[in-house]
Amino acid sequence: MRRSATQPEVFPRMKAVYSPLHARHDGGVELYRGRLVPTFETPERAEIIRAALEAAGHELLPPREIPESRLLRVHEPAFVEFLRGAHARWQSEGREGHVLPSGFPARGLRQDRRPAGISGSLGWFAFDASTPIVAGTWDAALAAARCAMTAAALVHEGQRAAYALCRPPGHHAARSTYGGYCYLNNAALAAQYLVDEGRRRVCVIDVDYHHGNGTQEIFWERDDVLFVSLHGDPETEYPWFLGYADERGAGRGAGHTLNLPLPAGSGWEAYRAALDAALAAIRAYDPEALVVSLGVDTFVSDPISSFKLEGRHYPLIGALLAGLGLPTVVVQEGGYAVAEIGANVAGVLGAFTA
Ligand code: SP5
Ligand code: ZN
């Protein structure tokens, strides 16, 4: 049925930015509980989300050819060049097996120089052994970053909300480190895009089960981006070394980071209370745009996480976020209960079109 051009759509569809290039990032393994296992972060995740969005009537569109120079607004040039070339270098140095780091510059080791060789470089830039670099990782990561920045552009140009189906995810990637299945920080790139286009205060709210350590680090000393995160308590949950409540930002950014860790096992009641606190902080900041790092690994049967949210809670989260009434970019992060990932993501997004 065609609608007349003058009549507003009763249920306007959301623009969802998707690239098939995500599928090039496949076949990697991660170190999990002492074993190398296929990554939990799989191409199937994105295809199930895509199918659910199509079924819900959202409009899929490809990312724009955003210049790679935009990456450097958030990431260090040497880091970007490393990611681009790491797989080829590993191969040209005659190595077999998976491209994973096996040693890191921990306390007591030198932090002031990057070794020339590939193994030392991997340990320098990576912070875990669960984030493999395969031949197609760079193509997929760049496409995901472009999906996020395209969604930001759509919102800047007047869309009330837009969704970026990013894969690989991004919120663990910092200015010059990668890990947690993340290489380029898609949400930070979206937020920076909005700042660069003139939005004066942007908020990133991160509702993935895991703390968005990369996003926090990127905006740590800034007051033009508020970072708020709800996540499993890092005392027991990945990424373990960031995400505590006493981290509040520094310098100009003092007070512009808010962490709301919750114990593993938390359910909707505790989650809802933390989300209310997050929303109050966002309203007080009065941002001109919102970026949502949307992980649905808060779901009760997620295989690597321990919150107890159910399918019916995702539309409630969406309604609370949409209730802020802000131009909103939703960026896909985690979620590993593959059978339910599409319904849970679509549940959040539906609130922005109702
Ligand atoms: C984007 C994203 O969601 N990345 C998550 C990366 C998590 N990788 C390490 C997971 C370690 C989980 N430990 C097992 C706890 C089982 N309850
Ligand atoms: Zn996560």
Side-chain angles (χ1 to χ4, degrees):
M1 190 183 76
R2 286 197 65 197
R3 291 186 187 83
S4 103
T6 51
Q7 229 158 12
E9 290 176 312
V10 180
F11 296 109
R13 297 177 304 170
M14 193 158 173
K15 292 193 189 297
V17 191
Y18 163 86
S19 167
L21 292 176
H22 81 82
R24 294 192 187 176
H25 179 57
D26 189 19
V29 297
E30 63 176 282
L31 185 60
Y32 180 73
R33 299 185 170 183
R35 291 193 168 80
L36 283 178
V37 302
T39 50
F40 288 88
E41 199 291 290
T42 60
E44 188 188 14
R45 297 176 58 248
E47 292 308 309
I48 289 178
I49 295 171
R50 183 178 63 81
L53 298 185
E54 279 176 342
H58 297 296
E59 180 189 350
L60 283 141
L61 50 146
R64 300 178 187 171
E65 291 291 312
I66 306 218
E68 290 185 35
S69 56
R70 286 265 186 184
L71 302 177
L72 306 182
R73 297 290 298 143
V74 158
H75 294 290
E76 187 183 288
F79 174 66
V80 171
E81 289 322 302
F82 165 79
L83 287 177
R84 193 199 309 276
H87 189 267
R89 231 178 112 195
W90 180 270
Q91 292 206 310
S92 73
E93 294 190 18
R95 298 181 188 217
E96 292 168 16
H98 294 274
V99 187
L100 288 175
S102 49
F104 304 92
R107 292 169 308 288
L109 302 179
R110 284 184 68 161
Q111 322 266 320
D112 63 328
R113 57 177 298 148
R114 167 159 61 105
I118 183 65
S119 290
S121 295
L122 282 166
W124 176 258
F125 287 117
F127 63 84
D128 69 23
S130 60
T131 312
I133 295 176
V134 300
T137 296
W138 172 254
D139 290 348
L142 177 60
R146 284 183 166 142
C147 286
M149 292 188 282
T150 300
L154 290 165
V155 166
H156 180 66
E157 291 158 11
Q159 292 290 317
R160 186 256 184 275
Y163 170 73
L165 208 178
C166 295
R167 185 184 169 270
H171 73 149
H172 294 302
R175 183 161 183 81
S176 60
T177 54
Y178 73 99
Y181 315 147
C182 302
Y183 306 86
L184 298 171
N185 194 315
N186 307 310
L189 287 161
Q192 184 66 47
Y193 191 99
L194 291 163
V195 168
D196 287 342
E197 297 306 305
R199 305 280 168 159
R200 278 175 303 190
R201 290 173 308 285
V202 175
C203 173
V204 180
I205 180 169
D206 189 322
V207 298
D208 186 279
Y209 179 77
H210 306 97
H211 176 246
N213 60 288
T215 315
Q216 173 171 309
E217 186 203 292
I218 287 164
F219 298 118
W220 182 246
E221 294 191 32
R222 288 173 52 174
D223 61 2
D224 56 345
V225 178
L226 175 72
F227 175 70
V228 180
S229 181
L230 281 70
H231 49 267
D233 189 340
E235 289 282 6
T236 60
E237 304 307 289
Y238 184 90
W240 304 300
F241 304 108
L242 213 62
Y244 295 89
D246 63 352
E247 298 158 15
R248 297 302 318 270
R252 291 175 66 91
H256 292 89
T257 287
L258 178 62
N259 285 320
L260 298 162
L262 293 165
S266 293
W268 173 247
E269 205 174 320
Y271 193 87
R272 169 72 206 259
L275 189 52
D276 282 341
L279 297 174
I282 294 168
R283 288 197 171 92
Y285 184 64
D286 188 28
E288 294 185 350
L290 183 70
V291 175
V292 180
S293 264
L294 176 62
V296 292
D297 39 12
T298 47
F299 185 61
V300 58
S301 60
D302 192 275
I304 63 168
S305 311
S306 305
F307 283 171
K308 292 176 176 160
L309 301 198
E310 294 166 30
R312 65 194 158 91
H313 295 130
Y314 292 96
L316 300 176
I317 293 171
L320 289 164
L321 294 172
L324 289 167
L326 295 166
T328 300
V329 183
V330 182
V331 175
Q332 187 62 45
E333 303 284 1
Y336 309 99
V338 177
E340 294 90 356
I341 191 174
N344 291 342
V345 169
V348 174
L349 298 187
F352 287 90
T353 62

